[in-house]
Structures are given as C-alpha cells and as structure tokens.
Amino acid sequence: MTTDKLPLHVYNFWGKALGSRLGEPTWHPLAYHSLDVAAVADQLLQRDRNRLARIAECLGTEPDNARRFLVALIAMHDVGKFSPWFQAKSEEAWVETLGRLGLSYACPPASRHDADGFALCEELALKDLTDPATTGWSNNDFSAVWAAIAGHHGKPVSENDALLDAFEDEPICLDAARAFWTDVRALFEPLAPIARPSLDARSVLSWHVASVTVIADWIGSNREWFPYCEPRLTIAEYWQAIQPTAHEAVAKANVLLAAPHAVSTPARLLPEIADRLSPLQQHVAEMDLPDGRSLTLIEDVTGAGKTEAAVLLAARLMAQGHADGLYFALPTMATANAMYDRLHTVYQRLFADGERPSLVLAHGKRTLNDAFTDSILNQDAAPPDDPDQHDDSAATCAAWIADDRRKSLIAQVGVGTIDQALLAVLPAKHQSMRLWGLAGKILILDEIHSFDAYMSREIETLLEFHAALGGSAILLSATLPEAQRTALAAAFRRGLSADGKAKATEDSSDAYPLMTVVSATGSVPHPLQTRKDRHRKLPVRRVPDFEAAVDEVARKAEAGAAVAWIRNAVDDAFDAVEALQARGRELVLLHARFAMGDRLDIEEYVKKQLGRDGSSEDREGFVVVGTQILEQSLDYDVDAMIVDLAPIDLVIQRAGRLWRHMDRKVRPVAGPELLVLSPDPKHVEDAKWYHQISDRAPYVYDHHGIVWRSGDVLFDVGEIVTP
C-alpha cells in the first residue's frame, strides 16, 4: 500500500532516527519499530515453551492466551514516543513527520518516553481496551504489568518523570497513540478472560514481563536485523511481513534454546573419568531426581570431583526438562577463567547433536581471554544448521551476546564471576534481563563458603529470586558451615513458596561429605562416602615467626620440593619475595594487583609448572608466593606448603593444594605437612596478638576471635583429617 491510504497521523511518527544509510530512509516509523519488538517478543515466547508455561501459570490462563495478551502490550512499549517532545528530539525527522501535520518544531525539554508511556496508561484506557482479558483486574494489577513493559530501558518508571502536558497541547499525538493501540489490539483477537493474579503471582510475573520486553527491545532495535523502511504497509500488513525477519533476528542473536541431549550418562558426558567415578559422582549419576525446581548443596573434600558432579547433575536435570542451560558463578576472575577452560571443550555434550548453544565468559576482563574472544561468531552469522559445517569441540558465542556483559547471562551456558549473577538482584540497570537469563537455568555456585556475610546475604536473595522464577541451583563447597547451609536452603524454599506449593518439611544431617537436596517436597540429606585417595591425616605444625618461615621455604626448595607460601596480604607477599630472593631463591609471585594480562600469563605458567601434567624437572625447587589467588583460583599441586594463619575454613581450603594430585609418583619429601605461620594461641598478652605475624593481616581478617580460635584448635589437634 502507499501512504496516501494510511492514517497519516499514525505512520508519520518516527521511532528510530539514526541517520542515513545506503538504500534506507533516515528514520523508521514508530508503528513499525513497535511491531519489530513485539514480533521478537512473540518469537521468544513461542520458542521458549517452558518459560511461557511459567508466565501462563502466573496469569492463570492458557499459554497461547498469555502470549497474545503480553505481546499486544509489548507492542505498546514505546507509546511514549508519540509525544511531540520526543519527536522533536530529531529536527531532521520532524520535518518529514510531524511537520507535515502542521505542528511547529520547538526545542524539546528533557523527557523520558518510557515514563510518558507509563503515565499514558490511564489516558489511553489500556486496561479497558484489553477486555475481556483484564475485566476482573484492579488498576493496580494492570499497572504492575504495564510498569514492567514501560520500564524497558532497564529501570523502574514513575509518573513523576512524565511530561503529559505535551499531549494535552497537541491532541493529534494522543489520537495517534489511540489509533495505533486499536489496530494493534485487533492483531491479537480473541483474548480470553484472565483471572486476577495473586500478589505473589503478579510479583513474579512482573520480572518475567520486564525481562522479555528488554531483550525484545534490544534485538528489535538492531538496525542490521531490522532495516529502516518507508511507511507503505498497514499495521496488519507489516505485522505479517516482519515475522520472518524477527525469526531470523532471534536466530542470529542466538537466544533460541538448544535442545538438551537425552542421554546424560557419565560415559557420554565424562568419558575421561567414567570408569573411575568418585563416590560423589557415582551417587549423582544414580540418584533419583526431584520433580521440578531444586537446590542441591554438595559438601565434599577438595579433589572429590565436585565440578564434574555438578556438570553431571546439571545434564541430568536438563535431560529431564527441569532446566534449559547453566551458569557457573565463581568467586574470582581467575577461577572463572579456569572453569571456562574446563568447560569450553565439553559443554556441547550437554546438548543434542547438531545444536549450537552459546558459551559465554562473563567478567570484567574477559576480552583478555583468547579462548573466549576466538569463539565469538560474526554478528551476521547464526549457528549453522548443518552439523557437518562445524567442529563439535569448538566453543562459540554469538557476537550479539558477547558485545555487552549485561547480555552475558542470556547465553545458554555461562561461566563468570558471582557479581555478574548478583547484579540480577541489586538495583542495577537491566537487572531484569539478567534474571531472565538465569531463570530456567541451573545456577552453579562454586566455593560457596568463600563469601563474606554481606555477599552471602545477597546470594540468599539471588537463590530466592531464582527459585521463584523457575530456576534450579547447585552449590559446591569443601568447608560449608552448617548455619550457612541452613540459611541458603531457607532462601531457596522462600522462592519455592512464591506459588504456595512448597512444603516446609526439613531433614538435616551433620554427616560429611554430604549432599542436601531441597525441593517443593522438602529437604533431604544424602550422606556420602569420599574417594579413598582423599582420606588423609595431614600433620599441621606451627611456624613461630617470619624468619623461621623463610628458612622452611628455602630449605624445602633446596631439597627439590615444589613449595607454595600463601600470605594474607599483598605487601606481606612482597616481604616474603624480598627475603627469599636475598637467600638466592628464584620464585614466582602471584597476586591480584598485577595488570590482568600479566596476571593471566603468570597463572598459566604456574598451572603449567605445577599442574597435573607438570614434569618432575619443571617442579624441582619451584617456589610460588602469593595471596588468596593461590587459595582457590588455580588447580595446582605442591610438595610443601606454608600458610599464614587465617580462619580455619580458609586454612583447610589452602591445604587442598598440598599433595592435591595424589597419583604423582615422585615426591622429594617423605609426606605432606602443612606449616602455619602463627603466633602462639596459648600466649595472648593483648589485642595485638594477631599483629605478631603481620600488621596487615588483621585488616584482611578482622574477626580476630575467629582467627585465634582457628589457631588454638588447629595446633591442639595437630592435624587435619579428611573427610
């Protein structure tokens, strides 16, 4: 059709105006952009049936009715752009658009079209125009859903930010908005009645709706996928015409879900270790899975294979339809890099043959990781449908996902730092999109014991949201305190209770190793055995002062041992390096203050020298001095270790790197022994007791009572017995 057959006052509003491009006009009609975004939302909901089912459950209606209702409203997400003040933001577009209608151009005041759109709800009578879907709803019920859609720029909207006077001065703009909504509403007939949602259901629904609107708007705003065009089609005609484009755009964004593989056996997923599974891994392979969302807490000794057990459990949950993907959240960038290296060659085994899910690395310095940057697909390339066209062992990530960390959690498999996940429950812009990315995934949190009280509370909130939105979680630790386990389980149960179906039954155990499974039917402990080569009595000996510690390191290195000294503060590590170099020792220093590129190089060098494949020649006399990076970030093994006194769980964690690879045949020392640099807990003269080993450590671990108790018990017992 030509524009002379269209209602000019609707089609002459611009929605996107980013300048000229060969073969395209300089602006894109607002009506068309709105339908671009709605078509993407429709594709997202149609292709993600599990998520649509959860949304429909919140609405108490059939999935198809829920989809049409929400997509119709999402088509109105930019209705605030009908404001003359918004239109005046592009003087060039104004001449071609509203200038034709006789409206005079004026320099616009600062305005937010999302806030204007939210405030227009009553003016446009949106609730009434969705009848009979919302006949039984209150204004507050509808407003909660509409606010989630209007706030598509990643933060809540308020009527206080709206400039509705502009609509009153130019009634043709409000008429255009009404006419557009009338035509959009006709696209989604018939809408069946939807029961009034409960407060809990409405709260959960609002997060789902906000998330899909943000993602749809981001994809629908991509000019590469949705080129600007002249207003030559009616709304109904354009809606039909844009469907193939929306389908292709969603494919290129790589947000369509790859199908999980139906087979989740150890032989298929972990062929390298399938014939020698640990008791934990064997239990995970054989256990009965809970029905629906679940939290699994795994507590076992260092080296018990918790990571592989988590992957195996995730695969089983995905194969049974309980999840669509996973996100591994770790304490540091170093641990995230290491986990990415472990997963990027095997993650495709989680999915059906020929599928091509995105694997993303999510942290602030990921562009320095060559393996990740090499995996990014071209922006215009969707994963090939033909399995013969790609290498199944290669990791890939769509460029659209990789170009912004806020999109990272949308990838079907993610590895990153815990902060990227926690931003989903903090007042950060686009938090709803992060929640969408996590919902329906298995959230795997490693080293869960390593977070302080503040972060632990944030993690509890994350678990509550995750359960409420339909996700499952797996938590891993070697040293999880019982109180923390209880708090984490309670948080997940609160999320399960959002739909009123979870039971409060709970059974606990003080066994170790232990797996605890929390689901809608309650909490069930599973006491476990650990692998025989993890059973050990590790002698512990106190080293009284700094000079004695230097002597121990130098003596053991001279004997050919690979030695690690883990210090509590970076400047303490500097002191150790200076003292050892004065003794003529060559060594490696590793801490978090290095430039990231240098730090990654040092980490790789340490893993090469002290990793499972390191040779006896490489290890001989090798000394590494570092901070908490050596505590949990790297997979390495040393013959001798000295650590500064720290809280007991961290001392145990550090000790896990001492004789970590139990199958190593050649050791220059008779047996493992953990040396702990510590003042004598039996002689405490004043509050400066902990300062005797360092003036800096007391500021790193400021609960000195816990530190003192750790040393007192540790040296009284004289050994660490595992499990």
Side-chain angles (χ1 to χ4, degrees):
M1 291 185 68
T2 59
T3 52
D4 59 355
K5 297 182 181 179
L6 301 176
L8 200 62
H9 64 296
V10 171
Y11 293 88
N12 273 38
F13 286 76
W14 63 268
K16 292 290 180 181
L18 295 177
S20 61
R21 180 179 288 189
L22 185 64
E24 294 181 21
T26 60
W27 59 276
H28 193 47
L30 173 56
Y32 289 2
H33 166 66
S34 300
L35 294 177
D36 294 340
V37 174
V40 171
D42 202 25
Q43 289 290 326
L44 293 173
L45 293 174
Q46 287 191 60
R47 297 298 295 267
D48 192 344
R49 305 304 296 183
N50 288 338
R51 200 182 309 253
L52 178 58
R54 290 193 289 271
I55 291 173
E57 185 177 1
C58 291
L59 286 169
T61 188
E62 294 298 315
D64 190 59
N65 191 48
R67 176 183 59 82
R68 286 184 287 111
F69 169 68
L70 290 178
V71 174
L73 288 177
I74 290 171
M76 298 295 290
H77 75 285
D78 264 347
V79 68
K81 289 184 177 180
F82 280 102
S83 162
W85 292 129
F86 177 84
Q87 293 295 308
K89 289 184 177 182
S90 172
E91 184 174 4
E92 179 183 17
W94 178 280
V95 174
E96 297 185 37
T97 56
L98 298 195
R100 297 185 182 182
L101 303 178
L103 299 182
S104 59
Y105 178 81
C107 184
S111 64
R112 285 181 51 185
H113 69 271
D114 53 352
D116 290 342
F118 175 65
L120 277 175
C121 179
E122 187 173 342
E123 289 282 346
L124 295 175
L126 288 181
K127 176 184 173 300
D128 295 337
L129 290 174
T130 56
D131 285 345
T134 58
T135 300
W137 290 31
S138 70
N139 289 335
N140 285 340
D141 296 331
F142 189 84
S143 180
V145 176
W146 180 240
I149 292 172
H152 59 277
H153 285 289
K155 59 182 180 179
V157 291
S158 168
E159 290 188 8
N160 296 331
D161 298 320
L163 293 174
L164 293 184
D165 290 348
F167 285 94
E168 295 174 2
D169 295 340
E170 304 291 357
I172 193 173
C173 296
L174 192 60
D175 290 343
R178 286 196 183 101
F180 177 62
W181 171 233
T182 300
D183 287 349
V184 166
R185 176 71 173 77
L187 298 175
F188 299 97
E189 291 287 4
L191 290 179
I194 299 173
R196 182 182 180 185
S198 68
L199 179 60
D200 285 342
R202 194 179 74 190
S203 299
V204 173
L205 174 67
S206 67
W207 290 107
H208 283 301
V209 174
S211 305
V212 71
T213 307
V214 169
I215 296 171
D217 188 46
W218 278 26
I219 296 176
S221 299
N222 188 309
R223 194 173 180 179
E224 299 295 329
W225 300 335
F226 293 91
Y228 293 0
C229 60
E230 299 280 358
R232 301 185 183 280
L233 301 176
T234 65
I235 284 172
E237 290 169 340
Y238 187 82
W239 177 251
Q240 293 301 318
I242 203 63
Q243 298 303 313
T245 305
H247 185 278
E248 184 179 359
V250 171
K252 287 180 177 178
N254 206 18
V255 294
L256 299 179
L257 295 175
H261 203 286
V263 178
S264 54
T265 60
R268 184 182 180 282
L269 289 165
L270 306 169
E272 302 84 358
I273 62 169
D275 59 345
R276 48 187 174 86
L277 297 178
S278 70
L280 166 63
Q281 295 160 353
Q282 193 69 47
H283 180 81
V284 165
E286 298 172 353
M287 64 183 285
D288 292 332
L289 297 180
D291 185 17
R293 296 162 288 172
S294 63
L295 167 69
T296 304
L297 298 105
I298 297 176
E299 304 168 59
D300 205 344
V301 299
T302 300
K306 293 187 289 294
T307 298
E308 292 79 7
V311 171
L312 181 56
L313 179 56
R316 293 193 62 202
L317 291 170
M318 290 168 60
Q320 294 201 9
H322 298 321
D324 304 312
L326 58 89
Y327 181 77
F328 249 109
L330 298 117
T332 65
M333 286 184 283
T335 49
N337 286 337
M339 187 62 67
Y340 181 85
D341 292 342
R342 295 174 71 175
L343 279 186
H344 86 280
T345 57
V346 302
Y347 81 103
Q348 290 186 18
R349 299 173 191 169
L350 296 166
F351 300 94
D353 296 339
E355 296 284 2
R356 203 66 167 162
S358 271
L359 169 68
V360 74
L361 178 62
H363 64 63
K365 303 294 183 182
R366 62 183 182 168
T367 55
L368 296 176
N369 187 298
D370 292 338
F372 173 64
T373 55
D374 290 346
S375 76
I376 299 173
L377 292 174
N378 182 275
Q379 178 84 348
D380 294 325
D385 293 327
D386 184 354
D388 295 332
Q389 295 181 14
H390 62 253
D391 175 9
D392 282 337
S393 67
T396 60
C397 183
W400 184 81
I401 292 176
D403 68 9
D404 191 318
R405 286 203 310 278
R406 292 173 297 180
K407 303 174 186 174
S408 295
L409 300 187
I410 298 174
Q412 205 161 356
V413 179
V415 179
T417 46
I418 183 65
D419 63 292
Q420 297 300 313
L422 290 178
L423 284 169
V425 292
L426 293 173
K429 199 172 181 181
H430 295 293
Q431 69 177 121
S432 62
M433 189 171 65
R434 293 175 184 271
L435 281 174
W436 169 277
L438 286 176
K441 284 191 177 71
I442 300 160
L443 175 62
I444 304 175
L445 303 181
D446 201 4
E447 312 282 7
I448 193 68
H449 59 272
S450 65
F451 303 108
D452 61 24
Y454 181 81
M455 287 190 68
S456 294
R457 185 65 186 89
E458 291 178 329
I459 290 169
E460 291 169 26
T461 303
L462 175 62
L463 289 174
E464 183 175 351
F465 269 76
H466 192 55
L469 293 176
S472 293
I474 302 171
L475 311 184
L476 310 178
S477 176
T479 54
L480 184 65
E482 183 179 359
Q484 190 177 5
R485 181 207 309 157
T486 301
L488 293 166
F492 194 82
R493 275 197 299 273
R494 287 195 297 273
L496 290 176
S497 299
D499 58 11
K501 296 180 180 179
K503 297 181 180 179
T505 58
E506 179 183 357
D507 191 8
S508 61
S509 172
D510 59 0
Y512 183 85
L514 179 69
M515 174 186 291
T516 306
V517 179
V518 181
S519 68
T521 58
S523 178
V524 181
H526 299 263
L528 303 170
Q529 299 295 317
T530 198
R531 57 199 313 167
K532 288 188 174 10
D533 62 3
R534 293 291 99 187
H535 286 258
R536 71 172 180 177
K537 292 183 178 181
L538 176 64
V540 176
R541 175 161 58 92
R542 186 175 72 88
V543 178
D545 54 47
F546 176 78
E547 287 301 323
V550 173
D551 289 342
E552 292 281 2
V553 173
R555 184 165 54 251
K556 292 182 181 299
E558 187 65 29
V563 186
W565 186 355
I566 303 179
R567 307 231 59 191
N568 289 338
V570 174
D571 287 337
D572 290 343
F574 292 159
D575 290 345
V577 168
E578 184 178 346
L580 287 166
Q581 287 177 336
R583 300 280 191 96
R585 295 303 315 174
E586 294 185 5
L587 50 82
V588 171
L589 173 64
L590 180 58
H591 56 74
R593 290 188 196 167
F594 279 111
M596 184 52 63
D598 294 334
R599 173 175 159 179
L600 293 174
D601 289 342
I602 297 170
E603 288 175 1
E604 284 302 313
Y605 180 63
V606 171
K607 287 191 290 186
K608 178 177 179 293
Q609 299 295 107
L610 301 180
R612 187 173 294 278
D613 298 326
S615 68
S616 298
E617 292 77 13
D618 291 336
R619 296 168 55 85
E620 185 175 353
F622 189 97
V623 175
V624 57
V625 176
T627 55
Q628 287 81 355
I629 295 177
L630 295 174
E631 179 181 300
Q632 58 190 10
S633 298
L634 301 176
D635 181 11
Y636 68 95
D637 167 287
V638 290
D639 306 309
M641 176 180 285
I642 182 168
V643 302
D644 291 1
L645 180 64
I648 189 67
D649 56 328
L650 304 183
V651 173
I652 294 172
Q653 187 72 25
R654 296 172 183 185
R657 271 62 185 174
L658 179 58
W659 284 45
R660 179 180 178 89
H661 302 147
M662 301 297 289
D663 54 352
R664 179 167 291 281
K665 303 299 184 184
V666 178
R667 298 279 187 182
V669 294
E673 180 186 39
L674 181 67
L675 306 180
V676 181
L677 173 57
S678 170
D680 188 350
K682 302 303 182 186
H683 295 87
V684 181
E685 296 181 355
D686 54 39
K688 294 285 189 178
W689 174 81
Y690 193 29
H691 289 253
Q692 293 179 54
I693 64 167
S694 164
D695 284 327
R696 300 146 186 146
Y699 297 98
V700 178
Y701 303 114
D702 57 1
H703 197 314
H704 299 170
I706 288 179
V707 175
W708 174 84
R709 290 206 310 268
S710 297
D712 190 48
V713 171
L714 195 59
F715 303 133
D716 270 353
V717 175
E719 60 185 5
I720 298 173
V721 181
T722 55

